Amino acid sequence: MKKIMLFATVVAMSLAMAMPVNAQSRKDKKAAKKAQWEMEQQQQREEAELRHQLRMDSIANAKKVAEEKAAKEEAERRAKEAEEKAKQKKAEEEAALQEVEHEEPCSEMDYPSTEVLMRGHGIGVDRNQQFSIEKAKGYAINDLAQQISSKVESLLRLQNQSWDQNENNNYAGMAKQEIEIAVQQTTGYNIACRKTMTYSQNNVRLMKTYMIIEVSAEKVLKAAYDALQKNNQTKIEESFEDFHKDFKEHFQEL
Protein backbone atom coordinates (compact mmCIF):
# COMPACT_ATOMS: atom_id res chain seq x y z
CA MET A 1 0.00 0.00 0.00
CA LYS A 2 2.77 2.34 0.89
CA LYS A 3 4.40 1.58 -2.43
CA ILE A 4 1.23 2.52 -4.34
CA MET A 5 0.90 5.83 -2.56
CA LEU A 6 4.53 6.62 -3.21
CA PHE A 7 4.08 5.94 -6.92
CA ALA A 8 1.03 8.17 -7.12
CA THR A 9 2.88 10.94 -5.45
CA VAL A 10 5.79 10.67 -7.91
CA VAL A 11 3.40 10.71 -10.90
CA ALA A 12 1.58 13.75 -9.57
CA MET A 13 4.79 15.59 -9.05
CA SER A 14 5.92 14.71 -12.59
CA LEU A 15 2.65 15.98 -14.05
CA ALA A 16 2.92 19.16 -12.04
CA MET A 17 6.41 19.78 -13.35
CA ALA A 18 5.50 18.99 -17.01
CA MET A 19 2.42 21.25 -17.30
CA PRO A 20 4.28 24.67 -17.67
CA VAL A 21 6.55 23.20 -20.34
CA ASN A 22 3.59 22.01 -22.46
CA ALA A 23 1.77 25.30 -22.07
CA GLN A 24 4.82 27.29 -23.23
CA SER A 25 5.21 25.02 -26.27
CA ARG A 26 1.61 25.59 -27.37
CA LYS A 27 2.02 29.35 -27.01
CA ASP A 28 5.16 29.33 -29.10
CA LYS A 29 3.47 27.24 -31.74
CA LYS A 30 0.53 29.63 -31.82
CA ALA A 31 2.85 32.63 -32.14
CA ALA A 32 4.83 30.92 -34.86
CA LYS A 33 1.63 30.05 -36.70
CA LYS A 34 0.45 33.64 -36.44
CA ALA A 35 3.79 34.93 -37.70
CA GLN A 36 3.63 32.49 -40.57
CA TRP A 37 0.09 33.65 -41.43
CA GLU A 38 1.12 37.32 -41.30
CA MET A 39 4.12 36.60 -43.49
CA GLU A 40 1.88 34.80 -45.99
CA GLN A 41 -0.58 37.73 -45.94
CA GLN A 42 2.26 40.22 -46.53
CA GLN A 43 3.57 38.07 -49.38
CA GLN A 44 0.09 37.94 -50.92
CA ARG A 45 -0.22 41.73 -50.64
CA GLU A 46 3.16 42.25 -52.27
CA GLU A 47 2.26 39.83 -55.05
CA ALA A 48 -1.08 41.64 -55.56
CA GLU A 49 0.71 45.01 -55.70
CA LEU A 50 3.21 43.60 -58.17
CA ARG A 51 0.43 42.21 -60.37
CA HIS A 52 -1.36 45.58 -60.19
CA GLN A 53 1.80 47.44 -61.14
CA LEU A 54 2.37 45.04 -64.03
CA ARG A 55 -1.20 45.65 -65.24
CA MET A 56 -0.75 49.43 -64.95
CA ASP A 57 2.56 49.26 -66.84
CA SER A 58 0.93 47.14 -69.52
CA ILE A 59 -1.97 49.61 -69.84
CA ALA A 60 0.47 52.55 -69.97
CA ASN A 61 2.55 50.84 -72.64
CA ALA A 62 -0.56 50.00 -74.66
CA LYS A 63 -1.74 53.62 -74.34
CA LYS A 64 1.67 54.91 -75.41
CA VAL A 65 1.73 52.59 -78.42
CA ALA A 66 -1.81 53.69 -79.34
CA GLU A 67 -0.88 57.37 -78.99
CA GLU A 68 2.24 56.92 -81.10
CA LYS A 69 0.20 55.12 -83.74
CA ALA A 70 -2.46 57.83 -83.69
CA ALA A 71 0.22 60.56 -83.93
CA LYS A 72 1.83 58.80 -86.88
CA GLU A 73 -1.52 58.40 -88.62
CA GLU A 74 -2.34 62.07 -87.96
CA ALA A 75 1.04 63.16 -89.36
CA GLU A 76 0.47 61.03 -92.44
CA ARG A 77 -3.05 62.46 -92.82
CA ARG A 78 -1.77 66.03 -92.56
CA ALA A 79 1.04 65.34 -95.01
CA LYS A 80 -1.44 63.86 -97.46
CA GLU A 81 -3.83 66.77 -96.93
CA ALA A 82 -1.00 69.28 -97.50
CA GLU A 83 -0.01 67.43 -100.65
CA GLU A 84 -3.60 67.50 -101.91
CA LYS A 85 -3.87 71.23 -101.14
CA ALA A 86 -0.60 71.88 -102.95
CA LYS A 87 -1.86 69.98 -105.99
CA GLN A 88 -5.17 71.86 -105.88
CA LYS A 89 -3.40 75.21 -105.54
CA LYS A 90 -1.12 74.41 -108.46
CA ALA A 91 -4.12 73.37 -110.56
CA GLU A 92 -5.94 76.61 -109.65
CA GLU A 93 -2.89 78.70 -110.52
CA GLU A 94 -2.53 76.92 -113.84
CA ALA A 95 -6.24 77.40 -114.50
CA ALA A 96 -5.95 81.09 -113.61
CA LEU A 97 -3.32 81.52 -116.30
CA GLN A 98 -5.66 80.05 -118.89
CA GLU A 99 -7.99 82.97 -119.47
CA VAL A 100 -11.14 82.30 -121.42
CA GLU A 101 -11.36 83.96 -124.81
CA HIS A 102 -13.43 87.12 -124.65
CA GLU A 103 -16.73 87.43 -126.43
CA GLU A 104 -15.74 91.06 -127.08
CA PRO A 105 -11.95 91.20 -126.81
CA CYS A 106 -10.96 94.63 -125.54
CA SER A 107 -7.67 94.77 -127.38
CA GLU A 108 -5.91 97.77 -128.88
CA MET A 109 -5.69 95.93 -132.19
CA ASP A 110 -9.48 95.63 -132.34
CA TYR A 111 -10.01 99.21 -131.15
CA PRO A 112 -7.18 101.35 -132.59
CA SER A 113 -7.01 105.12 -132.34
CA THR A 114 -7.71 107.11 -135.50
CA GLU A 115 -7.38 110.73 -136.57
CA VAL A 116 -11.11 111.08 -135.80
CA LEU A 117 -11.54 108.90 -132.70
CA MET A 118 -8.88 108.44 -130.03
CA ARG A 119 -9.02 105.33 -127.84
CA GLY A 120 -7.30 104.37 -124.59
CA HIS A 121 -6.76 100.85 -123.24
CA GLY A 122 -6.78 99.91 -119.54
CA ILE A 123 -6.81 96.82 -117.30
CA GLY A 124 -7.88 96.96 -113.65
CA VAL A 125 -7.55 94.20 -111.05
CA ASP A 126 -9.19 94.22 -107.64
CA ARG A 127 -11.17 91.99 -105.28
CA ASN A 128 -14.12 94.33 -105.73
CA GLN A 129 -15.67 94.41 -109.21
CA GLN A 130 -16.53 98.12 -109.12
CA PHE A 131 -13.01 99.02 -108.03
CA SER A 132 -11.56 96.91 -110.85
CA ILE A 133 -13.77 98.85 -113.31
CA GLU A 134 -12.66 102.22 -111.90
CA LYS A 135 -9.00 101.16 -112.07
CA ALA A 136 -9.40 100.03 -115.68
CA LYS A 137 -11.00 103.34 -116.59
CA GLY A 138 -8.23 105.30 -114.88
CA TYR A 139 -5.52 103.37 -116.75
CA ALA A 140 -7.42 103.82 -120.01
CA ILE A 141 -7.63 107.61 -119.55
CA ASN A 142 -3.93 107.72 -118.67
CA ASP A 143 -3.13 105.70 -121.80
CA LEU A 144 -5.16 108.13 -123.90
CA ALA A 145 -3.41 111.15 -122.35
CA GLN A 146 0.00 109.66 -123.12
CA GLN A 147 -1.03 108.96 -126.72
CA ILE A 148 -2.18 112.56 -127.26
CA SER A 149 0.86 114.12 -125.59
CA SER A 150 3.21 111.90 -127.60
CA LYS A 151 1.51 112.69 -130.92
CA VAL A 152 1.28 116.44 -130.22
CA GLU A 153 4.95 116.52 -129.22
CA SER A 154 5.86 114.67 -132.43
CA LEU A 155 3.74 117.10 -134.48
CA LEU A 156 5.40 120.13 -132.87
CA ARG A 157 8.84 118.68 -133.55
CA LEU A 158 7.78 118.02 -137.15
CA GLN A 159 6.58 121.61 -137.56
CA ASN A 160 9.40 123.30 -135.68
CA GLN A 161 12.91 121.91 -135.83
CA SER A 162 13.95 124.09 -132.86
CA TRP A 163 12.15 121.60 -130.59
CA ASP A 164 15.02 119.25 -131.29
CA GLN A 165 17.56 121.71 -129.99
CA ASN A 166 18.95 121.12 -126.50
CA GLU A 167 17.80 124.47 -125.14
CA ASN A 168 14.18 123.59 -125.93
CA ASN A 169 14.11 120.15 -124.32
CA ASN A 170 12.61 121.60 -121.16
CA TYR A 171 9.81 123.11 -123.23
CA ALA A 172 8.97 119.73 -124.70
CA GLY A 173 8.80 118.09 -121.27
CA MET A 174 6.66 120.93 -119.93
CA ALA A 175 4.31 120.71 -122.92
CA LYS A 176 3.97 116.95 -122.54
CA GLN A 177 3.02 117.28 -118.86
CA GLU A 178 0.45 120.03 -119.48
CA ILE A 179 -1.15 118.05 -122.31
CA GLU A 180 -1.51 114.89 -120.20
CA ILE A 181 -3.12 116.82 -117.35
CA ALA A 182 -5.54 118.53 -119.73
CA VAL A 183 -6.57 115.25 -121.39
CA GLN A 184 -7.03 113.48 -118.04
CA GLN A 185 -9.36 116.27 -116.93
CA THR A 186 -11.45 116.04 -120.10
CA THR A 187 -14.87 114.44 -119.63
CA GLY A 188 -17.37 112.79 -121.95
CA TYR A 189 -15.59 109.53 -122.70
CA ASN A 190 -17.49 106.61 -124.17
CA ILE A 191 -16.79 102.99 -123.21
CA ALA A 192 -16.15 101.16 -126.47
CA CYS A 193 -15.51 97.81 -124.79
CA ARG A 194 -15.60 96.45 -121.25
CA LYS A 195 -15.16 92.90 -120.06
CA THR A 196 -14.81 91.71 -116.46
CA MET A 197 -13.45 88.27 -115.62
CA THR A 198 -13.06 86.37 -112.36
CA TYR A 199 -9.98 84.34 -111.50
CA SER A 200 -8.15 83.01 -108.46
CA GLN A 201 -4.62 83.92 -107.40
CA ASN A 202 -3.06 82.49 -104.22
CA ASN A 203 -6.52 81.37 -103.11
CA VAL A 204 -7.83 84.95 -103.47
CA ARG A 205 -10.78 85.66 -105.79
CA LEU A 206 -9.97 88.62 -108.03
CA MET A 207 -11.90 90.63 -110.61
CA LYS A 208 -10.08 91.69 -113.78
CA THR A 209 -11.65 94.32 -116.01
CA TYR A 210 -10.54 95.13 -119.55
CA MET A 211 -11.68 98.47 -120.93
CA ILE A 212 -11.43 100.61 -124.05
CA ILE A 213 -12.57 104.23 -123.80
CA GLU A 214 -12.97 106.48 -126.80
CA VAL A 215 -13.42 110.19 -127.35
CA SER A 216 -13.43 112.59 -130.29
CA ALA A 217 -9.88 113.35 -131.36
CA GLU A 218 -10.89 116.96 -131.90
CA LYS A 219 -12.13 117.23 -128.30
CA VAL A 220 -8.97 116.00 -126.60
CA LEU A 221 -6.77 117.81 -129.11
CA LYS A 222 -8.58 121.09 -128.27
CA ALA A 223 -7.93 120.45 -124.55
CA ALA A 224 -4.25 119.89 -125.33
CA TYR A 225 -4.10 123.00 -127.57
CA ASP A 226 -5.71 125.24 -124.93
CA ALA A 227 -3.29 123.95 -122.26
CA LEU A 228 -0.31 124.83 -124.43
CA GLN A 229 -1.65 128.30 -125.22
CA LYS A 230 -1.69 129.25 -121.52
CA ASN A 231 2.11 129.23 -121.38
CA ASN A 232 4.21 131.51 -123.58
CA GLN A 233 6.99 128.92 -123.62
CA THR A 234 4.70 126.25 -125.09
CA LYS A 235 2.33 128.48 -127.01
CA ILE A 236 1.51 127.41 -130.59
CA GLU A 237 1.55 130.13 -133.25
CA GLU A 238 -1.09 128.66 -135.55
CA SER A 239 -4.83 128.52 -134.91
CA PHE A 240 -6.51 125.43 -133.53
CA GLU A 241 -8.21 124.79 -136.86
CA ASP A 242 -4.86 124.68 -138.64
CA PHE A 243 -3.31 122.65 -135.84
CA HIS A 244 -6.18 120.17 -135.98
CA LYS A 245 -5.82 119.91 -139.75
CA ASP A 246 -2.09 119.20 -139.44
CA PHE A 247 -2.79 116.59 -136.77
CA LYS A 248 -5.20 114.70 -139.04
CA GLU A 249 -2.87 115.01 -142.01
CA HIS A 250 0.16 113.63 -140.19
CA PHE A 251 -1.65 111.26 -137.79
CA GLN A 252 -0.16 108.07 -139.24
CA GLU A 253 3.36 109.56 -139.17
CA LEU A 254 3.19 110.68 -135.53
Side-chain angles (χ1 to χ4, degrees):
M1 185 68 178
K2 290 181 179 180
K3 291 182 180 181
I4 294 173
M5 290 180 64
L6 180 62
F7 178 77
T9 301
V10 172
V11 171
M13 289 177 65
S14 299
L15 290 172
M17 292 176 64
M19 284 181 63
V21 175
N22 292 336
Q24 183 64 36
S25 178
R26 287 194 300 271
K27 185 176 180 181
D28 290 342
K29 288 180 179 181
K30 186 176 181 181
K33 187 176 181 180
K34 181 179 180 182
Q36 178 67 25
W37 180 83
E38 290 177 349
M39 185 176 66
E40 291 175 352
Q41 292 297 311
Q42 178 64 25
Q43 185 176 0
Q44 290 177 3
R45 286 195 296 271
E46 290 177 355
E47 290 176 353
E49 290 178 359
L50 180 60
R51 288 193 297 271
H52 176 72
Q53 186 61 45
L54 290 174
R55 284 197 302 272
M56 296 302 294
D57 290 345
S58 178
I59 293 172
N61 289 334
K63 184 178 180 181
K64 182 179 180 181
V65 171
E67 289 175 348
E68 290 177 349
K69 182 180 179 181
K72 182 179 179 181
E73 291 176 349
E74 177 64 15
E76 291 176 350
R77 184 190 67 79
R78 290 185 178 182
K80 187 176 181 180
E81 183 178 303
E83 184 180 357
E84 291 297 327
K85 285 184 177 180
K87 289 181 180 179
Q88 182 179 358
K89 181 180 179 181
K90 184 179 179 180
E92 289 176 352
E93 290 176 349
E94 290 177 351
L97 296 176
Q98 299 174 0
E99 295 183 358
V100 180
E101 183 179 354
H102 303 176
E103 295 179 3
E104 287 185 276
C106 299
S107 68
E108 295 175 86
M109 292 181 61
D110 295 325
Y111 293 88
S113 291
T114 68
E115 66 274 12
V116 177
L117 202 60
M118 295 294 296
R119 295 186 174 100
H121 176 259
I123 301 175
V125 179
D126 198 277
R127 295 186 181 185
N128 181 281
Q129 181 176 357
Q130 187 58 40
F131 288 165
S132 75
I133 293 173
E134 292 300 323
K135 286 181 179 180
K137 184 177 181 181
Y139 289 134
I141 292 174
N142 185 62
D143 178 57
L144 182 62
Q146 290 182 6
Q147 285 187 59
I148 290 293
S149 64
S150 178
K151 287 187 177 297
V152 169
E153 180 185 356
S154 297
L155 179 60
L156 293 176
R157 290 186 185 280
L158 184 65
Q159 293 175 335
N160 188 350
Q161 296 299 320
S162 64
W163 272 64
D164 289 325
Q165 297 176 7
N166 292 333
E167 61 267 28
N168 289 321
N169 283 341
N170 290 335
Y171 300 163
M174 187 184 303
K176 186 177 180 67
Q177 183 178 12
E178 290 179 352
I179 292 170
E180 290 183 2
I181 293 174
V183 174
Q184 288 170 348
Q185 293 176 345
T186 302
T187 59
Y189 300 102
N190 294 321
I191 297 177
C193 177
R194 189 183 81 188
K195 184 73 174 181
T196 299
M197 301 176 61
T198 303
Y199 71 102
S200 177
Q201 185 177 57
N202 298 327
N203 294 325
V204 177
R205 180 173 176 270
L206 297 174
M207 312 298 288
K208 188 174 185 179
T209 298
Y210 299 81
M211 185 180 293
I212 295 287
I213 63 168
E214 61 184 17
V215 66
S216 165
E218 182 179 0
K219 184 174 185 179
V220 287
L221 195 62
K222 182 65 166 63
Y225 179 87
D226 291 343
L228 294 176
Q229 296 305 93
K230 294 178 182 178
N231 190 327
N232 288 330
Q233 293 178 323
T234 59
K235 189 173 182 179
I236 301 174
E237 297 300 329
E238 62 181 347
S239 66
F240 172 71
E241 287 73 16
D242 292 336
F243 185 70
H244 185 203
K245 180 181 178 181
D246 291 340
F247 179 84
K248 290 193 295 182
E249 181 178 345
H250 297 287
F251 181 82
Q252 299 298 335
E253 303 172 16
L254 302 178

